[in-house]
């Protein structure tokens, strides 16, 4: 290899000579890539097309030894370093400009122990990989709602999905992690072993090292579950949302109902004349017996006069992919997110106002219902502290061309600003965009100071800074 000029963590350039690069390369099972190499563009491309960065070096890892080698190399040369799992993070923190990218996306193994009901997961696995293996045994753990999301980043930020109300956040089901820390050590963390690190990893995002293996508790689920959609026109949204917030208060933990307001996609169960018009959709999921589920979701079918519904018993794996077509990679995306403990009349009115002026047909506002088991742990039991959140709201600006950037971003910011007085002030760290460094403290909440102390213990030089960063104190 020839020399490479690369950015250091402090921003300055450093030139790495051929001997150093050859030494790194020769010890890898995976590949060392530079611009122009086959696989380089794939490695630097992530879900959000707004992020277009060019690392100087990519270590495409095949195993833990590659990760350890990359971390040691990055620390020795004090390089700007980023870590990529599934590449979904909206802020694009997985990719650094001009630095070293540790690409884990090739490490996707998921091993299920059906007797112990435990999953061992490599850090490049997607939710789809996980569900495929776990559902072969009728098992699952709470993960997100889009099958191409990475298990790693989702878990490190806390994670929630369709059956979090029953079994908690993803981190509440995490049993152990293997980590390569900034000093290149292999460390196992559990509730008993390196407990400070295990506490910090459960919501402290990628600040504390590279996780090389996740171990999750599994629960029986499905494989067939009751799930589906009920859709109303926007003119019924205010009434439907007011009924929804009452309904949510007495809902059992096996049932989850999210709501999304957007333009109707061309779904086959919707009449063609409503395609492209503004709607409110309720997405229903029941984690238990389907007959009990039908009773539990019945009120949602009577919030107004539905323009369409599609409810049935279907494989959980398929439900986990149901929203993939609306969330394909390659679009431009900008998010703003709030946590809510309840939906006030004002928040409902503002939501409807913003949905009446969607700047692109792909934009949407959703309220993901959590609550239930996610609220049981104390706020300081894990780094994730937002145990009061009933709803995670995300205004999802999504569009196709750079020419639309400004109007879509302004729309999302406007909704965020206007609804802020009705929200908790807390935010889910995994929904922060790259321009929200002023909200990092709000994301870690009262646990921020403790996280900063643990950061100093495990990463005193802030090698892992490409994340919603906690500076070591
Ligand atoms: C379409 C879509 C749907 C989503 N739905 C949900 C949802 O339902 N529920 C939910 O909770 N979240 C959801 N999210 C948010 C998601 O949890 C975050 O985007 C998360 O960061 C994705 O993880 P990733 O591995 O794909 O991300 P990446 O972009 O690869 O990584 C994000 C960050 O995590 C860190 N990281 C990744 N892997 C490691 C590792 N092995 N060790 C140390 N640090 C690491 C790095 O700091 C990296 O910058 C969704 C995101 C998208 C885009």
């Amino acid at each position: 290899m020839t020399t490479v000029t690369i950015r250091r963590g402090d921003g300055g350039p450093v030139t790495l000579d051929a001997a150093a690069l050859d030494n790194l390369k020769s010890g890898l099972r995976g590949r060392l890539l530079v611009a122009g190499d086959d696989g380089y563009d794939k490695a630097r491309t992530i879900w959000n097309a707004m992020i277009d960065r060019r690392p100087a070096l990519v270590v495409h890892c095949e195993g833990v030894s590659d990760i350890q080698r990359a971390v040691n190399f990055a620390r020795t040369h004090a390089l700007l370093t980023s870590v990529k799992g599934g590449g979904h993070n909206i802020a694009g923190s997985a990719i650094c400009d001009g630095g070293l990218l540790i690409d884990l996306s090739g490490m996707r193994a998921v091993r299920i122990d059906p007797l112990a009901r435990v999953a061992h997961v490599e850090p490049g696995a997607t939710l789809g990989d996980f569900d495929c293996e776990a559902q072969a045994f009728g098992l699952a753990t709470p993960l997100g709602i889009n099958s191409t999301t990475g298990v790693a980043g989702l878990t490190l930020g806390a994670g929630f999905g369709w059956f979090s109300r029953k079994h908690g956040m993803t981190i509440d089901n995490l049993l152990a992690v293997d980590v390569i820390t900034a000093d290149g050590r292999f460390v196992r963390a559990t509730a008993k072993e390196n407990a400070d690190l295990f506490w910090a990893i459960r919501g402290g995002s990628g600040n504390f090292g590279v996780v090389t293996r996740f171990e999750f508790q599994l629960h029986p689920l499905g494989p067939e579950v009751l799930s589906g959609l009920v859709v109303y026109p926007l003119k019924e949204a205010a009434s439907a949302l007011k009924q929804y917030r009452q309904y949510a208060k007495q809902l059992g933990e096996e049932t989850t109902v999210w709501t999304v307001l957007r333009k109707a996609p061309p779904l086959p169960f919707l009449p063609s004349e409503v395609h492209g018009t503004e709607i409110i959709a309720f997405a229903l999921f029941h984690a238990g017996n389907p007959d009990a589920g039908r009773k539990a979701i019945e009120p949602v079918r009577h919030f107004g006069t539905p323009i369409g519904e599609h409810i049935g018993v279907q494989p959980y794996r398929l439900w986990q992919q149901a929203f993939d077509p609306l969330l394909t990679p390659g679009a431009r995306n900008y998010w703003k997110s709030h946590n809510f403990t309840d939906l006030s009349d004002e928040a409902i009115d503002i939501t409807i106002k913003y949905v009446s002026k969607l700047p692109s047909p792909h934009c949407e506002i959703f309220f993901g219902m959590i609550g239930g088991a996610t609220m049981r742990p104390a706020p300081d039991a894990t780094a994730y502290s937002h145990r009061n959140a009933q709803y995670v709201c995300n205004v999802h600006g999504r569009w196709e061309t750079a020419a639309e950037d400004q109007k879509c971003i302004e729309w999302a910011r406007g909704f965020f600003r206007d609804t802020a007085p009705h929200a908790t002030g807390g935010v889910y760290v995994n929904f922060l965009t790259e321009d929200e460094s002023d909200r990092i403290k709000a994301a870690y909440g009262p646990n921020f100071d403790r996280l900063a102390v643990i950061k100093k213990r495990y990463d005193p030089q802030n090698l892992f800074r490409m994340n919603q960063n906690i500076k070591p104190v």
Side-chain angles (χ1 to χ4, degrees):
M1 258 184 135
T2 55
T3 60
V4 165
T5 300
I6 187 165
R7 265 177 80 192
R8 294 164 49 103
D10 62 14
V14 58
T15 300
L16 302 173
D17 63 27
L21 295 167
D22 286 338
N23 187 37
L24 170 63
K25 190 174 177 176
S26 63
L28 295 174
R29 262 206 312 140
R31 299 177 65 208
L32 182 63
L33 306 171
V34 294
D37 284 345
D38 192 23
Y40 172 83
D41 281 327
K42 186 167 178 225
R44 74 180 189 88
T45 302
I46 57 172
W47 181 81
N48 184 4
M50 298 283 278
I51 308 296
D52 180 17
R53 300 189 189 135
R54 307 184 75 81
L57 285 175
V58 177
V59 176
H60 183 73
C61 299
E62 290 282 346
V64 178
S65 70
D66 285 354
I67 298 173
Q68 191 172 39
R69 218 175 161 77
V71 168
N72 284 335
F73 187 82
R75 186 192 60 255
T76 303
H77 298 282
L79 303 181
L80 177 67
T81 304
S82 66
V83 179
K84 177 183 167 189
H88 259 231
N89 196 275
I90 185 74
S93 51
I95 311 296
C96 55
D97 229 352
L100 172 77
L101 164 60
I102 302 177
D103 179 11
L104 309 174
S105 64
M107 296 174 61
R108 291 174 55 170
V110 177
R111 184 171 68 78
I112 304 296
D113 179 340
L115 300 180
R117 290 188 177 161
V118 168
H120 303 265
V121 183
E122 280 194 332
T126 62
L127 308 197
D129 298 331
F130 188 110
D131 289 335
C132 179
E133 296 298 329
Q135 279 288 281
F137 303 98
L139 296 170
T141 212
L143 294 167
I145 59 119
N146 170 226
S147 75
T148 58
T149 306
V151 173
L154 178 134
T155 304
L156 294 170
F160 61 90
W162 292 115
F163 77 133
S164 287
R165 286 171 54 72
K166 185 170 180 186
H167 288 296
M169 304 293 286
T170 306
I171 49 161
D172 299 332
N173 298 277
L174 190 63
L175 299 172
V177 281
D178 293 344
V179 186
I180 299 292
T181 50
D183 56 6
R185 273 185 310 138
F186 172 90
V187 177
R188 162 119 354 122
T190 69
K192 293 202 173 126
E193 216 178 327
N194 299 302
D196 58 345
L197 180 61
F198 192 57
W199 178 87
I201 287 232
R202 286 175 292 163
S205 42
N207 274 286
F208 303 96
V210 184
V211 178
T212 61
R213 185 186 66 98
F214 295 84
E215 194 176 313
F216 294 99
Q217 182 70 61
L218 296 167
H219 310 277
L221 181 72
E224 303 256 297
V225 292
L226 183 83
S227 52
L229 290 171
V230 182
V231 181
Y232 295 98
L234 188 66
K235 66 177 192 294
E236 297 190 12
S239 162
L241 281 171
K242 285 172 190 167
Q243 293 174 73
Y244 170 65
R245 74 181 171 199
Q246 285 310 116
Y247 166 79
K249 286 179 185 146
Q250 40 76 45
L251 193 60
E253 292 181 356
E254 294 208 309
T255 312
T256 299
V257 181
W258 287 26
T259 183
V260 58
L261 297 95
R262 55 168 295 127
K263 284 186 191 283
L267 296 168
F269 67 91
L270 292 177
S272 57
E273 60 273 19
V274 305
H275 296 172
T277 65
E278 290 81 12
I279 50 133
I280 178 166
F282 292 94
L284 319 157
F285 175 83
H286 186 77
N289 177 293
D291 292 333
R294 281 187 200 281
K295 281 198 194 109
I297 58 118
E298 187 61 15
V300 182
R301 302 180 59 230
H302 304 284
F303 286 167
T305 309
I307 49 178
E309 63 171 42
H310 183 73
I311 303 169
V313 177
Q314 60 175 316
Y316 172 68
R317 262 189 79 195
L318 290 189
W319 178 244
Q320 283 287 82
Q321 297 163 25
F323 297 92
D324 288 3
L326 295 177
L327 297 169
T328 48
R332 301 174 80 79
N333 296 274
Y334 183 81
W335 292 358
K336 280 282 190 184
S337 178
H338 282 306
N339 287 341
F340 288 92
T341 53
D342 201 356
L343 301 178
S344 65
D345 286 355
E346 293 82 358
I348 289 174
D349 290 345
I350 296 163
T351 304
I352 291 166
K353 181 176 126 194
Y354 275 86
V355 176
S356 309
K357 51 176 186 179
L358 293 167
S360 148
H362 310 293
C363 291
E364 63 182 33
I365 298 172
F366 82 73
F367 294 88
M369 178 195 279
I370 51 173
T374 69
M375 301 178 103
R376 278 203 275 280
D380 63 356
T382 61
Y384 170 79
S385 64
H386 306 294
R387 301 295 183 170
N388 62 343
Q390 279 286 358
Y391 302 98
V392 179
C393 167
N394 196 24
V395 50
H396 182 173
R398 182 174 166 90
W399 61 98
E400 282 164 355
T401 63
E404 300 164 275
D405 285 3
Q406 199 187 344
K407 70 174 179 180
C408 292
I409 290 172
E410 276 173 11
W411 171 80
R413 286 182 178 157
F415 171 83
F416 170 79
R417 184 191 57 235
D418 292 354
T419 44
H422 310 286
T424 65
V427 60
Y428 178 39
V429 71
N430 271 344
F431 285 177
L432 288 180
T433 45
E434 60 174 329
D435 58 0
E436 295 193 298
S437 50
D438 57 331
R439 297 184 80 203
I440 290 179
K441 275 200 164 178
Y444 297 117
N447 292 332
F448 183 84
D449 291 345
R450 185 172 165 194
L451 282 165
V453 172
I454 299 173
K455 173 78 172 176
K456 172 130 193 232
R457 198 170 301 147
Y458 286 95
D459 184 15
Q461 303 304 321
N462 204 9
L463 179 65
F464 303 109
R465 66 181 66 205
M466 288 293 300
N467 41 49
Q468 298 302 345
N469 194 228
I470 299 161
K471 296 201 171 41
V473 292

